[in-house]
Amino acid sequence: MFDILETDIVVFQETKIQRKDLCDDMVLVPGWDCFFSLPKHKKGYSGVVIYTRQSVCCPIRAEEGISGVLCPSNSSTSFSDLPEDQQVGGYPTLTQASDALDSTSLATDFVTLDSEGRCVILEFPAFVLLGVYSPANRDETRDDFRLGFLNLLDIRVRNLVAMGKRVFLTGDLNISKEELDTANAESAMRKNSMTTIEYFSTPARRIFNQLLEDGKVYGERDKGRERAVLWDICRGFHPMRKGMFTCWEQKVNARPGNFGARIDYVLCSFSMKDWFSDSNIQEGLMGSDHCPVYATMKDVIAIETAEVTTKDVMNPPGMFHQGQRLQALSAKDMLPLSGKLIPEFDRRQSIRDMFKRNPTLSMDQSLETTNQSETGLAMVLPSNTIRDLDAKIPTLKAKVADYNAAEDLSTPKRPGPTRKGIAALLDNNKSQPLEKHNNRPSKRIKLVSTPPAGSNQTKGQQSLRGFFKSKSREATSSANMPIAKEGSPDSSLSTLVPDNANQQRAPITASTSSMPSKIASTSADWEEDITSRSISKSPPRKSNWVEPISVHDPIESKESWSKLFSKPVAPRCEGHNEPCISLVTKKSGINCGRSFWMCPRPLGPSGAKEKGSQWRCQSFIWFSDWNSKVDQTGSF
């Protein structure tokens, strides 16, 4: 996947996984490092992860969350309380949050705002990268949380810029900046009876637009947001492009008609404007309701009147010089937030790498190989370390041998066959049957008796109607059969003899309460004697009942099962004469949960059902109405 994207830093939002869901393919990606922020309480919710290509870039600091109150792995010290040389900085204060929100209770609850896994922060020497997944505008119950998160994000970005650090903000912010960035701006204003000023003055959009250089802000700016600090990179390269959307509603299949919104951004500080050569969206990359948005950095950038290679400022100092690697990555360069240091994956490698054995390289060869290929492995061990390990191997082997010998002397051994005895036993097995040496009981084989030819055995269910038929036929047949009288010598036997017993004898059915062994060993003569006495004592009675002729119709049976399990044939839409699709109403009200049929085509660019066009027509039929119509007509 990373090769398809052709990028060096990948930021994913809304991963919807927990720590227990992490696997080797997510964490132990060869040549890549990863940094996760997972939800602390909610399962399958939110989540952000950043992947960095180790041969190109390596962060110097990493944090989880916006406020800095969370703690690194295996530590009880929060990020904001770490030594200054280990901090990213710019942490919001309680005073800042209280002044902006006018709500001290919400401002103090930083832990709650950072508990859903919505932000990962990486610092490189060039800039501070923030990968963010902002809460969506779902319902009013989440408005306070959403505004609190956006407020903290605004404060953190502005504090970093005030410290003199460059900021690169990217992710799903769930806000459309202006009318050009959404297809339903006008319909939303009409639906909510809002003017243009009111639309752009909604709290979330107002906070976001005050952060951007070209954001529309009506009225006086808020306190602490007197000036913009970020530049919209993608819109800067395409200032008047329409339909540059990054998210589409899947429920109404709005992507083919490009009825969506631009809510995913790549933003940067003003001093980084000249660092990028291209920025765009990848609307053709499928697999999600969002599409990627990217920004491409130049190989050489200007920092304070000096031109430097990008690799020099995207790695720790001294690792690159003029784009050439001077120092290989080592375990000490890994940050505590790295996914490879999670206890479940620490000191492990991917199972695929276990089958690849790379030759040992010297230090010079390792540096040369890393410079030649950017996608090569970045974790390289120096040659002196490998020689030390090779020198310790004989000593370790000797210690293991001494330990095994001591364990053999201290542990009593159970008597068993020697090697010669085992060899002799194997030789004997070649010439003797296996049963002689196998003392274990053989597996029991279940014997299934086969009914004799000509016997009248009831077959299985032949049709759907057969399931509802009574067993009157078998009961009537049994009533007409002769039964031995009580008190007779044969009363222990319940013998059923057909009328044609003289031509063909049937096996005797006996109850298990009367000498089953003797019955099993009876001779044919004794069986004939019992049969003759039963016939003479109890002659069969005549009956006027005539057995109906049962004919199995496979076509009728097939149709019965097909009607029971097959999907109903869908009606055809009026505009295109195509089979409709069925959906379920999820909107609260009296129709919630009802199924309906509608046109299968996607919505058009207008976002409304159209007549006489290639997009979704106005066909709509309730499921129950269509079923009633089918029942009345008797056909589909």
Side-chain angles (χ1 to χ4, degrees):
M1 179 182 62
F2 297 122
D3 295 334
I4 295 175
L5 294 175
E6 297 180 351
T7 184
D8 300 316
I9 300 177
V10 185
V11 183
F12 292 98
Q13 305 89 37
E14 201 173 0
T15 57
K16 292 186 177 181
I17 58 174
Q18 293 180 282
R19 178 167 171 174
K20 65 181 183 62
D21 300 323
L22 295 176
C23 59
D24 291 356
D25 292 339
M26 300 179 186
V27 180
L28 304 178
V29 183
W32 290 78
D33 203 352
C34 54
F35 305 88
F36 288 88
S37 179
L38 304 176
K40 302 297 184 293
H41 307 294
K42 293 187 177 181
K43 299 180 180 179
Y45 185 80
S46 187
V48 175
V49 58
I50 300 180
Y51 288 87
T52 59
R53 193 188 296 271
Q54 293 175 309
S55 60
V56 178
C57 56
C58 177
I60 57 177
R61 297 179 187 90
E63 291 184 2
E64 178 186 6
I66 299 177
S67 62
V69 298
L70 300 182
C71 302
S73 302
N74 302 322
S75 175
S76 58
T77 305
S78 62
F79 290 108
S80 58
D81 293 334
L82 293 173
E84 291 187 3
D85 59 338
Q86 301 178 21
Q87 293 182 4
V88 175
Y91 306 106
T93 62
L94 296 178
T95 305
Q96 288 177 320
S98 301
D99 293 343
L101 287 178
D102 294 331
S103 173
T104 342
S105 59
L106 181 61
T108 56
D109 197 6
F110 288 170
V111 178
T112 302
L113 296 173
D114 277 339
S115 64
E116 295 186 359
R118 293 186 175 274
C119 181
V120 174
I121 301 178
L122 301 182
E123 182 176 4
F124 301 90
F127 55 81
V128 177
L129 170 64
L130 288 87
V132 174
Y133 174 50
S134 177
N137 186 21
R138 300 296 182 190
D139 51 61
E140 297 179 356
T141 59
R142 296 275 292 175
D143 285 349
D144 288 343
F145 185 90
R146 186 185 189 210
L147 294 178
F149 183 88
L150 292 174
N151 177 69
L152 285 186
L153 179 63
D154 178 85
I155 295 173
R156 184 73 185 269
V157 170
R158 293 180 181 276
N159 289 349
L160 289 171
V161 173
M163 292 174 60
K165 294 188 177 184
R166 291 171 287 268
V167 176
F168 189 99
L169 174 62
T170 183
D172 178 6
L173 300 182
N174 272 310
I175 302 174
S176 54
K177 186 176 66 171
E178 53 184 339
E179 299 100 318
L180 197 63
D181 295 320
T182 178
N184 65 340
E186 295 181 0
S187 61
M189 286 188 240
R190 289 196 306 267
K191 181 179 179 180
N192 299 317
S193 301
M194 301 172 63
T195 63
T196 304
I197 297 178
E198 292 173 344
Y199 179 78
F200 283 99
S201 298
T202 53
R205 186 172 288 105
R206 180 175 176 85
I207 293 174
F208 181 60
N209 281 343
Q210 291 182 95
L211 197 62
L212 302 180
E213 181 183 30
D214 55 347
K216 293 183 179 181
V217 181
Y218 292 90
E220 187 179 354
R221 285 178 169 265
D222 299 339
K223 181 181 178 181
R225 303 187 177 110
E226 289 79 11
R227 64 185 184 93
V229 293
L230 295 181
W231 178 59
D232 189 349
I233 304 175
C234 195
R235 182 57 74 186
F237 279 89
H238 310 277
M240 299 305 298
R241 178 179 170 183
K242 296 182 179 180
M244 191 171 63
F245 304 139
T246 62
C247 180
W248 302 267
E249 182 66 40
Q250 285 185 324
K251 296 179 181 179
V252 296
N253 195 17
R255 188 165 187 171
N258 196 27
F259 184 77
R262 186 172 79 101
I263 59 178
D264 303 89
Y265 299 88
V266 280
L267 313 172
C268 71
S269 300
F270 296 153
S271 58
M272 299 171 60
K273 280 187 177 181
D274 298 331
W275 289 15
F276 301 93
S277 59
D278 185 28
S279 181
N280 207 336
I281 64 173
Q282 293 180 308
E283 66 274 19
L285 190 59
M286 310 299 289
S288 170
D289 57 339
H290 292 249
C291 78
V293 55
Y294 68 89
T296 305
M297 291 182 64
K298 300 176 182 178
D299 294 335
V300 179
I301 57 178
I303 299 180
E304 298 177 357
T305 68
E307 292 188 349
V308 296
T309 307
T310 304
K311 291 183 179 180
D312 295 355
V313 292
M314 291 299 293
N315 289 273
M319 189 163 291
F320 275 88
H321 179 67
Q322 296 182 354
Q324 300 296 321
R325 182 177 288 276
L326 301 180
Q327 179 183 351
L329 286 174
S330 61
K332 66 179 182 180
D333 297 315
M334 300 184 68
L335 301 176
L337 195 63
S338 173
K340 294 186 176 181
L341 294 182
I342 297 176
E344 298 92 307
F345 303 95
D346 190 15
R347 302 182 185 276
R348 285 188 51 222
Q349 59 179 348
S350 176
I351 192 170
R352 297 176 182 175
D353 298 338
M354 296 180 182
F355 300 95
K356 299 178 182 179
R357 187 168 183 176
N358 298 325
T360 303
L361 299 178
S362 62
M363 187 63 179
D364 298 335
Q365 292 173 338
S366 301
L367 294 176
E368 182 180 356
T369 304
T370 308
N371 292 331
Q372 290 176 356
S373 176
E374 289 185 351
T375 58
L377 293 175
M379 297 298 293
V380 181
L381 289 176
S383 57
N384 57 353
T385 303
I386 298 176
R387 287 195 298 268
D388 294 341
L389 292 175
D390 293 337
K392 294 180 180 179
I393 290 176
T395 306
L396 294 175
K397 289 184 177 179
K399 291 182 178 180
V400 171
D402 295 341
Y403 176 81
N404 292 336
E407 186 178 7
D408 292 341
L409 293 176
S410 60
T411 305
K413 297 183 179 180
R414 298 176 59 184
T418 60
R419 292 187 178 180
K420 294 183 178 180
I422 294 175
L425 182 60
L426 294 176
D427 293 337
N428 294 333
N429 284 339
K430 296 180 181 179
S431 58
Q432 297 180 2
L434 182 63
E435 288 79 9
K436 294 184 178 181
H437 301 286
N438 190 4
N439 295 327
R440 294 180 298 178
S442 59
K443 293 183 178 179
R444 296 183 178 179
I445 301 175
K446 183 178 181 181
L447 298 178
V448 181
S449 60
T450 305
S455 62
N456 187 14
Q457 183 176 355
T458 304
K459 295 183 179 180
Q461 181 179 330
Q462 300 295 324
S463 64
L464 182 61
R465 292 181 178 178
F467 179 78
F468 301 98
K469 290 180 65 177
S470 61
K471 300 183 179 180
S472 58
R473 176 183 175 185
E474 291 79 3
T476 308
S477 301
S478 301
N480 293 331
M481 291 298 179
I483 304 176
K485 297 181 179 180
E486 294 183 4
S488 63
D490 307 321
S491 60
S492 61
L493 298 177
S494 300
T495 309
L496 302 180
V497 183
D499 294 339
N500 58 351
N502 295 329
Q503 289 91 7
Q504 182 179 359
R505 289 196 303 268
I508 299 175
T509 304
S511 63
T512 57
S513 62
S514 178
M515 302 171 61
S517 60
K518 293 183 180 180
I519 294 175
S521 61
T522 53
S523 62
D525 297 336
W526 187 70
E527 186 177 341
E528 290 180 359
D529 183 43
I530 293 177
T531 303
S532 61
R533 284 190 295 171
S534 299
I535 295 175
S536 61
K537 291 182 180 180
S538 302
R541 293 176 294 179
K542 294 182 179 180
S543 176
N544 296 329
W545 179 80
V546 180
E547 181 180 358
I549 300 175
S550 178
V551 179
H552 172 64
D553 188 356
I555 298 179
E556 181 183 359
S557 176
K558 182 178 180 181
E559 291 179 354
S560 301
W561 287 107
S562 299
K563 291 180 181 179
L564 187 63
F565 292 106
S566 62
K567 293 182 179 179
V569 177
R572 293 184 174 272
C573 64
E574 299 175 357
H576 314 97
N577 196 27
E578 297 178 356
C580 294
I581 57 174
S582 63
L583 298 175
V584 180
T585 306
K586 295 185 178 180
K587 186 177 180 180
S588 59
I590 58 175
N591 292 323
C592 183
R594 292 186 65 184
S595 300
F596 59 90
W597 298 100
M598 66 181 302
C599 179
R601 296 201 175 189
L603 285 174
S606 63
K609 298 178 181 179
E610 302 175 3
K611 187 176 182 180
S613 68
Q614 61 176 334
W615 304 110
R616 178 172 297 173
C617 65
Q618 299 177 351
S619 298
F620 181 90
I621 306 174
W622 287 111
F623 214 89
S624 56
D625 295 343
W626 174 249
N627 290 342
S628 301
K629 183 179 179 181
V630 171
D631 294 339
Q632 293 175 2
T633 58
S635 62
F636 291 109

